[in-house]
């Protein structure tokens, strides 16, 4: 709950300082670890799960990733969040000991 309030505070700051024109609540987001934004989409990392939201209407586009050691899975270690980087239409996810392209 505390991280959800922090997320809302960050989005509020963007609105106040003029970096954003919209304010939204994302009820699906419970424990955000990292947030990344580009012109069209908002990317949120929650442990081993990654969510992509539309900037236009803040609707969930897709959600992927899960906890594990198999293909397409990442481990979750406290204080070392998994990271997401966007390269055009490809998403590069970096975890502890593993990197995956989606």
């Amino acid at each position: 709950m505390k991280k959800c309030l922090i997320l809302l505070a960050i989005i509020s700051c963007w609105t106040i300082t003029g970096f954003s024109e919209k304010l939204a609540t994302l009820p699906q987001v419970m424990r955000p670890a990292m947030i990344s934004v580009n012109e069209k989409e908002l990317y949120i990392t929650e442990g081993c799960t990654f969510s992509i939201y539309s900037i236009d209407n803040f609707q969930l586009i897709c959600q992927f990733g899960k906890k594990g050691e198999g293909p397409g899975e990442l481990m979750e270690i406290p204080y070392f969040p998994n990271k997401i980087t966007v390269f055009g239409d490809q998403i590069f996810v970096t975890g502890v000991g593993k990197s995956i392209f989606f």
Side-chain angles (χ1 to χ4, degrees), residues 42-89:
L42 171 72
Y43 303 90
I44 298 178
T45 303
E46 290 185 87
C48 299
T49 305
F50 303 92
S51 304
I52 302 174
Y53 290 87
S54 169
I55 288 291
D56 295 331
N57 55 14
F58 292 100
Q59 294 295 314
L60 181 65
I61 296 172
C62 72
Q63 199 169 34
F64 59 92
K66 62 181 181 176
K67 189 175 183 177
E69 295 182 15
E73 299 174 341
L74 295 167
M75 295 302 297
E76 181 179 5
I77 297 177
Y79 307 111
F80 294 101
N82 296 317
K83 297 176 184 173
I84 188 168
T85 307
V86 180
F87 297 107
D89 61 344

